[in-house]
């Protein structure tokens, strides 16, 4: 058995605070925009589902880390709920909130699991939203101050930091289409939020260079775009879709530029970035985190504001979130990052799939053959990208647990560990058993 994965390749799982922790207001924590959004039936698609309990990880952290160890995880990517640490978003630190993450990190380390810490996975303190949230230019300073608190306490024990998770989803879902918190639908807001997010990213990286001694990067969700035809209309639609989703954040962060197509897409809502904003966003990062779920075969259409849409593939398998299973897209996108962005170190920071799994595990077992097949193919696709020269250093499967799939609530199960939400019983799915073997053989078992 041979493996394309280097010996020091890092195998792990990913989660996010609001999706698993529960107890969002415990021990002095301040509410987040997701607390508000999920409690508002006008906004939440899965009405009644909230993060109030979720996987109750806040109370079960030690047992959950023991489970990670049982799976052989070498790394665990989690996020910090900003409002646990700074209930008002700025100012006074809440010791109990910070202690929770310190305990988590120490427990991981005691079990030989490397922590990857994401500073922002969508749960902005509500107090900051009241001050304009990501539309306020001060958000860059708020974020850098919060980041500094985390670096001061945990850098050294945490050696891999992520500033933002998926700025594209934050703005497209939160400010343009309203499907995610804070639930705005405003074309004028989206480019402003994007710019401030990238200024915040840059400000946090700058702060890290003053005090940090290890690595910091940005996580983006990338969806490779393939043309539906060679027509000039589809070619232009492809360029727009690519600029909007794939280049909007990496271009400023790495090249200090903005794709020209954004001005076409946003029309009168677009204003050019100042040289100072571009300079702030462009800081040297140590790695690019890639979240990959699916591809997009793109054609021109009348959808707003992109005028580009997706062509369904009649012969393909789709997940329960409606995403085409397309492993080759992961190889392609990793090579695309290598080509366009100067061959950076890359971590796959999320990859996984929701398929139908029963709510209750039968006799200690959950068979999830579609997820098993998805993971086998996608992990092999990472191996292929490595063989073709991409500098991929680790793979963080999404997700460790079934959890709150944001506005879709508990209806979509992404976990390799099944969660019975009535009892909090955790059960390994067959995919978890597969992943344990993948880790133990450093990918060779996929041959
Ligand atoms: C997010 C996760 C989410 C997953 C599946 C990513 O966009 O980072 O929080 O659960 O995709 O939708």
């Amino acid at each position: 058995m041979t493996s394309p994965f280097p010996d020091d390749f890092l195998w792990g799982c990913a989660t996010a605070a609001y999706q698993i922790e529960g107890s969002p207001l415990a021990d002095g924590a301040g509410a987040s925009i997701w607390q508000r959004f999920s409690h508002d039936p006008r906004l939440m698609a899965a009405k009644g589902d909230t993060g109030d309990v979720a996987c109750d990880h806040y109370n079960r952290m030690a047992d959950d880390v023991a489970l990670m160890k049982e799976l052989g995880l070498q790394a665990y990517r989690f996020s910090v709920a900003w409002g646990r640490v700074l209930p008002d978003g700025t100012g006074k630190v809440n010791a109990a909130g910070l202690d929770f993450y310190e305990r988590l990190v120490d427990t991981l380390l005691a079990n030989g699991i490397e922590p990857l810490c994401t500073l922002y996975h969508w749960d902005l303190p509500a107090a900051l939203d009241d001050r304009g949230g990501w539309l306020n230019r001060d958000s860059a300073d708020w974020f850098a101050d919060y980041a500094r608190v985390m670096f001061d306490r945990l850098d050294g024990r945490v050696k891999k930091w992520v500033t933002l998770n998926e700025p594209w989803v934050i703005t497209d879902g939160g400010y343009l289409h309203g499907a995610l918190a804070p639930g705005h639908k405003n074309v004028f807001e989206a480019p402003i939020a994007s710019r401030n997010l990238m200024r915040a990213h840059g400000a946090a990286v700058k702060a890290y260079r003053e005090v940090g001694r290890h690595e910091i990067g940005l996580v983006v969700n990338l969806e490779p775009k393939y043309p539906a035809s060679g027509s000039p209309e589809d070619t232009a639609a492809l360029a727009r879709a690519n600029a909007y989703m794939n280049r909007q954040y990496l271009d400023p962060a790495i090249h200090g530029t903005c794709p020209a197509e954004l001005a076409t897409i946003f029309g009168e809502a677009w204003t050019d970035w100042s040289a100072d904003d571009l300079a702030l966003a462009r800081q040297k990062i140590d790695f690019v985190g890639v979240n990959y779920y699916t591809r997009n075969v793109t054609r021109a259409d009348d959808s707003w504001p992109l005028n580009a849409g997706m062509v369904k593939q009649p012969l393909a398998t789709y997940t329960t979130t409606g995403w085409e299973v397309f492993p080759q897209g992961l190889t392609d996108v990793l090579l695309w990052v290598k080509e366009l962005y100067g061959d950076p170190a890359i971590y796959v920071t999320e990859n996984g799939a929701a398929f139908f799994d029963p709510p209750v595990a039968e006799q200690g077992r959950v068979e999830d053959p579609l997820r098993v097949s998805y993971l086998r193919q996608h992990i092999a696709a990472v191996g292929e990208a490595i063989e073709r020269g991409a500098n991929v250093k680790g793979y963080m499967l999404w997700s460790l647990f079934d959890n709150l799939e944001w506005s879709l609530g508990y209806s979509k199960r992404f976990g390799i560990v099944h969660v019975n939400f009535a009892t909090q019983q955790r059960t390994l799915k067959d995919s978890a058993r597969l992943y344990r073997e993948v880790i133990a053989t450093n990918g060779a078992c996929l041959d």
Side-chain angles (χ1 to χ4, degrees):
M1 289 199 298
T2 54
S3 165
F5 298 96
D7 289 342
D8 59 355
F9 193 79
L10 206 54
W11 298 100
C13 280
T15 64
Y18 192 73
Q19 294 181 275
I20 65 161
E21 286 178 353
S23 310
L25 303 179
D27 302 328
S32 73
I33 53 174
W34 269 98
Q35 169 77 10
R36 282 187 179 165
F37 187 95
S38 65
H39 282 266
D40 187 336
R42 293 165 306 175
L43 296 174
M44 188 73 177
K47 296 185 198 333
D49 283 1
T50 71
D52 289 2
V53 180
C55 304
D56 196 28
H57 172 72
Y58 190 73
N59 296 310
R60 292 166 196 261
M61 181 270 284
D63 288 347
D64 287 343
V65 175
L67 189 63
M68 295 178 209
K69 187 170 186 185
E70 194 186 318
L71 286 174
L73 297 195
Q74 299 165 347
Y76 174 56
R77 174 176 175 239
F78 65 95
S79 79
V80 174
W82 184 343
R84 286 199 196 279
V85 177
L86 293 157
D88 299 323
T90 57
K92 198 171 164 316
V93 171
N94 175 37
L98 191 48
D99 287 353
F100 171 74
Y101 295 106
E102 181 168 58
R103 275 201 315 279
L104 169 61
V105 166
D106 287 344
T107 310
L108 290 168
L109 292 173
N111 285 282
I113 300 170
E114 164 145 30
L116 268 75
C117 178
T118 301
L119 292 167
Y120 187 71
H121 202 127
W122 308 358
D123 42 1
L124 188 74
L128 295 181
D129 197 48
D130 291 341
R131 296 161 70 182
W134 293 114
L135 302 174
N136 186 330
R137 282 180 67 82
D138 292 346
S139 53
D141 297 328
W142 303 335
F143 186 61
D145 289 347
Y146 151 59
R148 224 174 265 119
V149 172
M150 298 309 303
F151 301 151
D152 284 345
R153 177 66 76 95
L154 291 177
D155 190 53
R157 284 177 280 175
V158 172
K159 297 190 170 118
K160 292 179 178 54
W161 296 91
V162 168
T163 54
L164 307 174
N165 180 70
E166 301 186 347
W168 180 80
V169 178
I170 299 169
T171 54
D172 183 80
Y175 290 89
L176 186 67
H177 294 298
L180 301 173
H184 299 191
K185 294 182 190 168
N186 188 323
V187 69
F188 286 89
E189 290 184 359
I192 297 171
S194 287
R195 183 181 323 194
N196 286 331
L197 280 161
M198 292 316 292
R199 292 175 59 249
H201 157 79
V205 175
K206 264 178 102 167
Y208 190 67
R209 297 305 172 208
E210 287 161 21
V211 296
R213 285 164 295 150
H214 300 281
E215 296 180 8
I216 190 161
L218 171 70
V219 166
V220 286
N221 57 302
L222 300 178
E223 200 179 87
K225 311 288 178 186
Y226 303 86
S229 81
S231 75
E233 293 77 15
D234 286 351
T235 306
L238 182 95
R240 283 195 302 279
N242 211 16
Y244 180 57
M245 191 163 177
N246 295 332
R247 293 176 48 212
Q248 185 171 184
Y249 304 92
L250 284 180
D251 278 19
I254 295 181
H255 297 318
T257 57
C258 279
E261 291 83 356
L262 295 177
T264 315
I265 296 163
F266 285 110
E268 57 170 344
W270 179 256
T271 51
D272 285 331
W273 293 32
S274 69
D276 283 354
D277 286 354
L278 284 171
L280 180 56
R282 182 194 195 187
Q283 302 293 328
K284 184 190 164 308
I285 51 175
D286 302 303
F287 61 87
V288 173
V290 173
N291 293 354
Y292 174 80
Y293 289 93
T294 190
R295 70 148 164 188
N296 187 306
V297 177
T298 309
R299 69 158 173 237
D301 70 6
D302 56 5
S303 62
W304 175 87
L306 203 54
N307 292 118
M310 188 184 74
V311 182
K312 273 254 182 190
Q313 304 301 305
L315 299 179
T317 304
Y318 283 83
T319 70
T320 54
T321 45
W323 299 339
E324 182 192 349
V325 176
F326 191 71
Q328 190 204 315
L330 181 48
T331 308
D332 290 351
V333 93
L334 293 169
L335 292 168
W336 180 85
V337 170
K338 173 185 167 69
E339 287 304 311
L340 254 80
Y341 297 105
D343 196 11
I346 304 174
Y347 288 90
V348 176
T349 34
E350 285 180 29
N351 174 239
F355 290 110
F356 175 77
D357 300 318
V360 177
E362 295 293 341
Q363 281 133 16
R365 181 157 182 212
V366 178
E367 295 179 53
D368 58 342
L370 291 174
R371 188 174 294 100
V372 165
S373 147
Y374 180 101
L375 292 175
R376 294 187 77 93
Q377 295 180 70
H378 284 78
I379 294 170
V382 177
E384 191 182 331
I386 293 172
E387 281 170 342
R388 289 170 59 188
N391 184 14
V392 188
K393 299 172 83 72
Y395 175 88
M396 305 296 131
L397 191 161
W398 186 272
S399 185
L400 178 61
F401 297 122
D402 294 333
N403 58 48
L404 180 87
E405 178 52 19
W406 303 111
S407 51
L408 302 177
Y410 297 99
S411 64
K412 308 293 173 207
R413 291 179 177 266
F414 276 89
I416 56 170
V417 175
H418 181 273
V419 177
N420 174 335
F421 290 104
T423 62
Q424 292 297 338
Q425 173 78 38
R426 278 93 161 114
T427 307
L428 301 193
K429 301 182 191 177
D430 286 358
S431 54
R433 297 175 202 280
L434 167 80
Y435 196 46
R436 178 160 60 190
E437 204 189 334
V438 168
I439 298 172
T441 62
N442 199 29
C445 71
L446 297 174
D447 265 10

